[in-house]
Amino acid sequence: MGGAERSVQYLAEALVKEGHKAVVISASEKNVCEAQDVNGVKVHYLSLKNIYWPFKKRSNPMFLKPLWHLIDIYNPWMVRYIKEIIKAEKPDIVHTNNLMCFSPLVWSEIKKLSIPIVHTIRDYYLLCPKCTMFDKYSNCEKQCLICKGYSFPKIYFTKFVDAVVGVSNYILEKHLSLGAFKGAKHSTIYNAYENKRYYKKSKSDQGLRLGFIGRITPNKGIEVILKAIDKLPLHKKNITLKIAGSGDKQYIKALSKKYSMNNISFLGFIPVEEFYPEIDVLIIPSLWNEPLGRITFEAYSYGVPVIASCRGGIPELVENESTGFLFDPEKPENLLKIINDIATRPELIEQMEDACLKKAMEFLPGKIAKSYLKIYLSLVKR
């Protein structure tokens, strides 16, 4: 459904290519009786046993959410089905990822089967019911009382994990600092991504082409870009901004009305292979502390440098003035300065293109799979 799920798919398929067997257990809104083969990966779809499916487009009743989260922390119904599959498949390793819908209780039950456990931290699920640690318009520097209450039992269950992997140093250290995964081996492995399509970036004589792609929400910082573009001097209005993605319709409508300039276009959903070749630079203006920022190396795979906010794990992916630029989203004048500098030095973008393509090679699924295999083998041998 999102970046985490795609990353798991890349990893599982890469493991199969390396000659191993990969079996995935995925939560589903509806029950699927038989396992399915997806590109060589055996996938079990388990119907969620809770009071509602949390990924519907419409919001679920607020008064039911506390009960849903309590069941999610300790969900014996889901754990029972998972144990049945694990006993049937007899794996050497169990690698857990996003545990929403499955329950951290599963760790203690897997441990009883004497199977080593690896967990990858991909979001703030263990620390925050919303999985974001972001409230209204600011990051939560500390856990509130509600988050502490929900996270306490989850952190307790982390003691059953043998090895923990953060998709960034930032997200790993955040969890370790709050007492999670005590005694587990820990390391950082970035997510996988591969651009399998033919790449050819279009050329333009129409000035600098900036782009934004992703969910159009306040925490993603879209207004940081719009305000910067609005402040450009008149002679720089040949700088264009393409905005791709979806979000709340009323919010997008309000933005398009407020920033109704000829050099800004809202494209709606558009495939990445159509989007990246039509821009020169991608802007990632996130206000929240992103665990990683997957679209950073997605852009690199098309030879597109990034201008990214110094939030969460994003700075770990950006080589300043080589594959991109970093700025503080709370100081929009920094973003404006970078845009102006790039606009006056078009040769810089061409120079950065090769560096971006080279950087993208670090995230190929085969390379990421080999990093995980080292962890798997160390636990099996132990």
Side-chain angles (χ1 to χ4, degrees):
M1 295 182 70
E5 289 76 15
R6 287 194 293 271
S7 294
V8 171
Q9 182 179 1
Y10 278 125
L11 175 59
E13 291 175 5
L15 289 169
V16 170
K17 288 181 180 178
E18 290 288 327
H20 304 280
K21 183 181 179 182
V23 178
V24 171
I25 303 175
S26 176
S28 173
E29 184 176 7
K30 298 178 181 178
N31 192 41
V32 179
C33 296
E34 295 183 2
Q36 298 182 0
D37 182 281
V38 181
N39 300 330
V41 178
K42 188 177 182 181
V43 184
H44 294 270
Y45 293 97
L46 294 186
S47 176
L48 175 62
K49 307 302 178 186
N50 205 326
I51 56 177
Y52 59 75
W53 177 246
F55 304 111
K56 290 181 179 178
K57 289 185 178 180
R58 65 179 185 274
S59 297
N60 293 293
M62 288 295 294
F63 71 92
L64 288 178
K65 289 187 177 182
L67 178 59
W68 189 97
H69 285 289
L70 287 172
I71 294 172
D72 192 58
I73 293 170
Y74 194 92
N75 192 328
W77 303 283
M78 293 300 290
V79 171
R80 185 182 68 189
Y81 289 123
I82 293 168
K83 277 188 77 173
E84 288 175 2
I85 292 172
I86 290 174
K87 285 180 178 179
E89 297 290 351
K90 298 181 175 63
D92 299 302
I93 287 279
V94 171
H95 181 179
T96 57
N97 290 269
N98 281 7
L99 282 180
M100 179 183 282
C101 299
F102 290 124
S103 175
L105 174 65
V106 74
W107 285 327
S108 66
E109 294 303 305
I110 293 169
K111 202 66 178 177
K112 292 175 183 178
L113 300 175
S114 299
I115 302 173
I117 303 169
V118 178
H119 180 71
T120 296
I121 307 170
R122 300 186 181 277
D123 58 21
Y124 298 94
Y125 166 76
L126 298 174
L127 307 179
C128 170
K130 294 190 293 185
C131 300
T132 60
M133 289 197 75
F134 188 91
D135 186 45
K136 294 181 180 179
Y137 295 98
S138 62
N139 290 291
C140 303
E141 298 303 325
K142 297 180 181 179
Q143 286 181 301
C144 64
L145 289 175
I146 293 175
C147 287
K148 284 182 178 180
Y150 281 115
S151 71
F152 178 78
K154 294 179 183 179
I155 290 176
Y156 168 80
F157 285 121
T158 65
K159 72 177 185 177
F160 298 108
V161 175
D162 297 288
V164 60
V165 176
V167 293
S168 67
N169 293 320
Y170 175 85
I171 197 69
L172 177 63
E173 291 301 323
K174 188 74 174 179
H175 282 72
L176 295 179
S177 68
L178 292 173
F181 302 101
K182 288 181 178 179
K185 295 172 62 176
H186 50 84
S187 55
T188 297
I189 302 175
Y190 298 126
N191 283 335
Y193 182 79
E194 184 174 13
N195 176 6
K196 296 181 179 180
R197 295 178 178 270
Y198 174 68
Y199 158 73
K200 186 176 181 181
K201 190 169 157 185
S202 66
K203 300 295 180 181
S204 174
D205 298 324
Q206 301 174 353
L208 181 64
R209 301 172 300 173
L210 304 173
F212 170 94
I213 188 168
R215 290 284 297 170
I216 302 175
T217 54
N219 68 332
K220 288 289 186 178
I222 182 63
E223 291 182 73
V224 174
I225 311 178
L226 293 170
K227 289 175 182 177
I229 298 297
D230 190 40
K231 291 181 180 179
L232 284 171
L234 290 174
H235 68 281
K236 292 283 181 66
K237 290 298 181 180
N238 63 332
I239 297 175
T240 57
L241 172 64
K242 297 178 184 291
I243 301 171
S246 58
D248 180 79
K249 291 182 179 179
Q250 293 301 318
Y251 180 63
I252 295 173
K253 184 178 180 181
L255 290 178
S256 59
K257 183 177 180 180
K258 184 177 180 179
Y259 300 96
S260 58
M261 294 173 277
N262 293 331
N263 59 337
I264 296 177
S265 52
F266 289 82
L267 307 176
F269 174 81
I270 184 171
V272 294
E273 62 270 16
E274 294 178 17
F275 176 74
Y276 286 113
E278 295 301 320
I279 65 170
D280 300 310
V281 181
L282 179 73
I283 303 182
I284 307 171
S286 292
L287 297 176
W288 80 295
N289 290 318
E290 301 239 16
L292 182 64
R294 170 191 179 84
I295 59 171
T296 307
F297 46 87
E298 186 179 89
Y300 291 162
S301 73
Y302 287 87
V304 175
V306 303
I307 303 173
S309 65
C310 49
R311 286 283 193 271
I314 297 173
E316 297 175 35
L317 305 175
V318 181
E319 296 176 7
N320 210 34
E321 296 194 28
S322 175
T323 63
F325 304 87
L326 292 169
F327 76 98
D328 185 345
E330 292 184 3
K331 298 177 180 178
E333 64 275 10
N334 290 357
L335 174 59
L336 190 59
K337 183 179 184 303
I338 293 171
I339 293 173
N340 278 318
D341 288 347
I342 295 175
T344 56
R345 298 164 63 196
E347 72 283 355
L348 186 60
I349 296 173
E350 292 187 18
Q351 293 170 10
M352 299 175 87
E353 185 175 323
D354 289 339
C356 290
L357 291 171
K358 184 179 178 181
K359 185 73 175 176
M361 302 295 285
E362 297 179 14
F363 309 97
L364 291 177
K367 186 170 184 178
I368 301 302
K370 287 175 181 175
S371 296
Y372 274 107
L373 279 169
K374 288 181 182 178
I375 297 173
Y376 299 160
L377 292 172
S378 70
L379 295 176
V380 170
K381 289 177 180 176
R382 190 178 68 176

